[in-house]
């Protein structure tokens, strides 16, 4: 649950919160909020000031069960975003669907006691399999993957 109060900061505003995000364009206000939050035991993220952060937020890309997070350790959020956008342009839209097919095959193989090494998976998740997924033929891709992996 988030609360946004559109007013100037006043002492006591962070009372009762476990997590505080501060992002004003006034360094003195950011410092005061950070100091109060820490004094009250809250975790703080102070935008554009990694030295005042207890945690940082990566730039995140999600495609189904596939999650890519890019971070610069707070040094340059814009660089994290630019790198994430470049990865996003390279990562096929159907990457999440492919991950679901692979996960489903993995569950079946495990249940059958079949163990497959990394090279086996790499060889099986080939261009043809990816093409089936891209064409919306997940069931065919699943069957092909099981066949190639001995399941």
């Amino acid at each position: 649950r988030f609360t946004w109060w559109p007013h100037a900061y006043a002492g006591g505003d962070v009372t009762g919160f476990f997590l505080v995000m501060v992002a004003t364009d006034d360094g003195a206000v950011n410092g005061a909020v950070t100091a109060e939050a820490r004094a009250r035991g809250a975790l703080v993220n102070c935008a554009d000031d990694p030295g005042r952060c207890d945690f940082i937020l990566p730039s995140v890309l999600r495609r189904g069960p596939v999650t890519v997070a890019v971070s610069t350790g707070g040094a340059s959020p814009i660089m994290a975003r630019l790198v994430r956008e470049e990865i996003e342009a390279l990562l096929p839209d159907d990457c999440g669907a492919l991950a679901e097919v692979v996960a489903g095959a993995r569950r079946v193989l495990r249940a059958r006691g079949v163990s497959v090494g990394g090279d086996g998976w790499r060889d099986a998740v080939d261009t043809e399999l990816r093409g089936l997924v891209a064409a919306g033929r997940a069931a065919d891709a699943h069957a092909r993957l099981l066949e190639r992996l001995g399941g």
Side-chain angles (χ1 to χ4, degrees), residues 14-15 30 38-39 45 60 69 72 74 78 88 104 106-107 114-115 120 122 139 149 151:
V14 301
T15 301
N30 289 349
R38 285 201 175 126
N45 178 278
V60 178
T72 61
I78 189 60
E88 188 171 21
R106 184 170 180 249
R107 282 190 297 274
V114 177
S115 178
R122 189 175 299 107
L149 294 172

Side-chain angles (χ1 to χ4, degrees), residues 125-148:
V125 181
D126 60 6
T127 303
E128 185 179 339
L129 185 83
R130 291 169 188 251
L132 289 170
V133 172
R137 296 174 52 197
D140 293 337
H142 177 80
R144 181 179 191 287
L145 189 54
L146 288 175
E147 178 184 310
R148 293 211 56 207

Side-chain angles (χ1 to χ4, degrees), residues 44-93:
V44 180
N45 178 278
C46 188
D48 295 330
D49 190 351
R52 288 184 173 153
C53 292
D54 296 316
F55 64 95
I56 55 172
L57 301 172
S59 185
V60 178
L61 164 63
R62 288 187 178 86
R63 298 261 167 86
V66 175
T67 302
V68 177
V70 179
S71 175
T72 61
S76 178
I78 189 60
M79 279 306 303
R81 178 180 171 188
L82 292 172
V83 170
R84 191 251 318 142
E85 288 174 348
E86 287 186 26
I87 293 170
E88 188 171 21
L90 296 171
L91 198 62
D93 289 336

